[in-house]
Amino acid sequence: MGTNASGIHGGRLSPADYEKNFSDLHPPLDHHEALVAADRCYFCHDAPCMTACPTTIDIPMFIRQISTGNPVGSAKTIFDQNILGGMCARVCPTETLCEQACVRNTAEERPVEIGRLQRYATDTAMERNIQFYERAARTGHRVAVIGAGPAGLACAHRLAVNGHDVVVFDARVKPGGLNEYGIATYKATDDIAQREVDYVLAIGGIEVRNGQRLGRDFTLGELTDNFDAVFLGMGLAGVNALQVEGEQLAGVDDAVDFIAALRQVEDKADIAIGRRVVVIGGGMTAIDAAVQAKLLGAEEVTICYRRGKEHMNASEFEQDLATSKGVMIRHWLQPKRVVGKDGHVMGIEVEYTEMRDGRLTGTGETGILAADQIFKAIGQTFDPIGVSNLQLEGGRIAVDAEGRTSVARVWAGGDCVKAGEDLTVTSVAQGRDAADSINRTLAAGARPSVAVA
């Protein structure tokens, strides 16, 4: 992300502005604020918010515990279902999940602040380093977990609690996966990803081996030979290409890499950003890249999306957040050609689109948007290296309801499978549930047959 002659450079802002721009998006509640927020909960029976949560946290229970002055008990209620509840409290799209389902919306058009209350409880327990779980007696079983992201960590923790020895293999230099490398910096400002990793590993019985990639450093066959079970939670490693002329020009970057670099850098001024930035895409990655480009000092930031506002994967809250930061979102535009000079980006030619007979079609009308930096955020892909013998579905690993793959003793979960939304909370639920399935299988003492036909 270094400086170059195209006008992409760092240090656009003062240190004070960087600190202000990347401060906490949703500051934590203090004790009084938490009690006031908790008091708004109706503590519904058969609460719709609980049904809307992919990890089915007992939301009325944990909020009631906060309201009675027991945030530690509240954290236990959360962690029982979601051991990564601290990060999920920060990054979950609560506006489309639990808070959207809150019955307070009907009466007041303002839900209970479930996400911030969850953060209050989980932060309290983590700051006091209160561990709620002890390992069961060692079973003698060994399980390999591929990927130290949300799915892998949730799986590893649940397996360790049940007494199994777990080895987590991860390709990156640090564990945490998407939580460490893929979350917008302003959504997780207090090194929560690594603090949460430390909290999970404190249970014991979990070894993490970084810099280890499936298909390069070991094979799936070697894992099944040396471990009693394997869980695959490697996420999505590939980034979709624009597949247009000029994509190779300097200044055309992957939004995922940009977000990761910003998460890891100590001084935000070291991240170079263009004066005029265009982001191609309509999901959360596009929003995060665009907002952070603006926060780094870009003067003009435009998101181009090939469909309409209502089709964007990013929630309406996230879209509004982007526009509030000065990002312009333009719909019904698709990239045609990246325009450059002397090897650097100068702009992007886009074509207007429309729905015609139920299909997205270019109208033939084009224009050029000036830009010295373009971020690609049009989706990530699963890299099947190392798992070519597994059955795939929709380009990802096929699994049954318990997370079992087409190969005996191999489970999978998280973004590498096609099941549910690509969210941290969904990955946690799938890793947790796969661990329960693995535990039942190992406890039965029998090797399972192939699960996916």
Side-chain angles (χ1 to χ4, degrees):
M1 306 298 292
T3 301
N4 63 46
S6 69
I8 303 175
H9 61 83
R12 291 190 178 277
L13 305 175
S14 69
D17 283 338
Y18 282 119
E19 183 176 357
K20 175 185 176 183
N21 287 355
F22 288 92
S23 59
D24 217 326
L25 178 62
H26 300 294
L29 300 172
D30 62 27
H31 177 67
H32 175 72
E33 290 170 332
L35 291 178
V36 172
D39 191 52
R40 296 187 63 243
C41 182
Y42 287 137
F43 310 119
C44 304
H45 178 66
D46 294 332
C49 59
M50 184 175 171
T51 304
C53 174
T55 53
T56 58
I57 294 171
D58 191 337
I59 294 171
M61 173 63 78
F62 93 67
I63 294 179
R64 182 181 293 277
Q65 288 168 308
I66 291 174
S67 70
T68 57
N70 184 18
V72 171
S74 175
K76 172 68 162 53
T77 299
I78 295 164
F79 287 144
D80 280 349
Q81 294 297 104
N82 183 349
I83 194 61
L84 301 184
M87 178 62 86
C88 288
R90 291 161 168 80
V91 304
C92 258
T94 55
E95 65 276 2
T96 63
L97 295 172
C98 55
E99 292 182 14
Q100 183 183 61
C102 179
V103 296
R104 276 284 187 180
N105 285 312
T106 303
E108 302 175 5
E109 298 185 352
R110 184 169 72 90
V112 174
E113 294 181 281
I114 298 170
R116 296 181 76 191
L117 286 167
Q118 179 168 314
R119 175 176 175 178
Y120 171 76
T122 54
D123 281 4
T124 298
M126 291 179 65
E127 287 165 3
R128 298 180 188 177
N129 197 28
I130 298 172
Q131 287 288 335
F132 299 104
Y133 311 98
E134 293 183 1
R135 291 196 72 196
R138 290 184 64 188
T139 63
H141 291 297
R142 299 176 71 235
V143 181
V145 172
I146 311 304
L153 290 172
C155 182
H157 185 268
R158 185 62 66 95
L159 289 168
V161 167
N162 284 298
H164 308 303
D165 293 324
V166 183
V167 179
V168 180
F169 300 86
D170 193 83
R172 301 253 197 185
V173 297
K174 295 168 66 176
L178 182 69
N179 285 358
E180 175 60 34
Y181 292 97
I183 301 297
T185 301
Y186 60 87
K187 293 179 180 177
T189 60
D190 51 359
D191 203 26
I192 177 61
Q194 287 308 301
R195 290 196 296 114
E196 204 162 50
V197 167
D198 293 340
Y199 189 81
V200 167
L201 298 183
I203 186 67
I206 304 172
E207 176 190 353
V208 178
R209 299 180 186 175
N210 293 112
Q212 297 290 302
R213 183 184 297 275
L214 178 64
R216 182 190 69 188
D217 302 299
F218 52 86
T219 67
L220 185 57
E222 289 172 337
L223 293 178
T224 54
D225 285 344
N226 293 292
F227 292 86
D228 298 297
V230 178
F231 174 78
L232 303 174
M234 66 281 276
L236 304 175
V239 177
N240 287 326
L242 297 177
Q243 296 183 327
V244 298
E245 176 189 341
E247 186 172 359
Q248 77 288 347
L249 291 169
V252 179
D253 300 309
D254 291 338
V256 172
D257 292 340
F258 167 61
I259 293 169
L262 188 52
R263 285 279 296 170
Q264 299 304 308
V265 75
E266 290 188 11
D267 186 351
K268 303 295 189 298
D270 290 341
I271 297 294
I273 199 71
R275 190 180 301 278
R276 290 180 289 195
V277 176
V278 172
V279 180
I280 308 297
M284 286 300 310
T285 300
I287 296 290
D288 286 349
V291 169
Q292 294 190 120
K294 194 69 177 174
L295 297 180
L296 286 169
E299 294 177 10
E300 298 176 11
V301 180
T302 305
I303 291 176
C304 291
Y305 179 56
R306 61 181 180 160
R307 298 180 186 271
K309 175 182 175 70
E310 68 277 12
H311 302 118
M312 292 182 73
N313 286 332
S315 68
E316 188 171 346
F317 169 83
E318 294 289 344
Q319 294 179 52
D320 291 343
L321 172 66
T323 56
S324 74
K325 300 295 184 182
V327 174
M328 177 180 291
I329 302 178
R330 299 189 61 176
H331 303 99
W332 305 108
L333 291 176
Q334 65 183 6
K336 289 286 290 181
R337 175 174 63 98
V338 178
V339 181
K341 180 180 180 182
D342 299 328
H344 294 285
V345 169
M346 296 292 290
I348 184 167
E349 182 180 7
V350 294
E351 179 183 18
Y352 284 93
T353 59
E354 64 181 10
M355 295 300 295
R356 189 180 303 163
D357 297 327
R359 299 184 63 181
L360 186 72
T361 307
T363 66
E365 182 183 359
T366 64
I368 294 179
L369 299 177
D372 46 26
Q373 191 169 31
I374 296 170
F375 288 118
K376 298 179 289 185
I378 53 174
Q380 293 176 263
T381 57
F382 174 64
D383 185 351
I385 184 170
V387 295
S388 57
N389 58 327
L390 294 182
Q391 181 180 329
L392 302 183
E393 177 184 357
R396 305 194 201 183
I397 300 172
V399 295
D400 69 1
E402 292 190 10
R404 294 178 296 185
T405 72
S406 58
V407 172
R409 296 189 294 121
V410 179
W411 284 254
D415 293 350
C416 67
V417 307
K418 194 67 175 178
E421 295 184 79
D422 294 340
L423 300 172
T424 295
V425 66
T426 305
S427 294
V428 170
Q430 291 171 357
R432 177 202 67 194
D433 294 347
D436 287 339
S437 178
I438 293 170
N439 182 58
R440 287 192 297 269
T441 300
L442 295 179
R447 290 187 172 183
S449 60
V450 172
V452 179

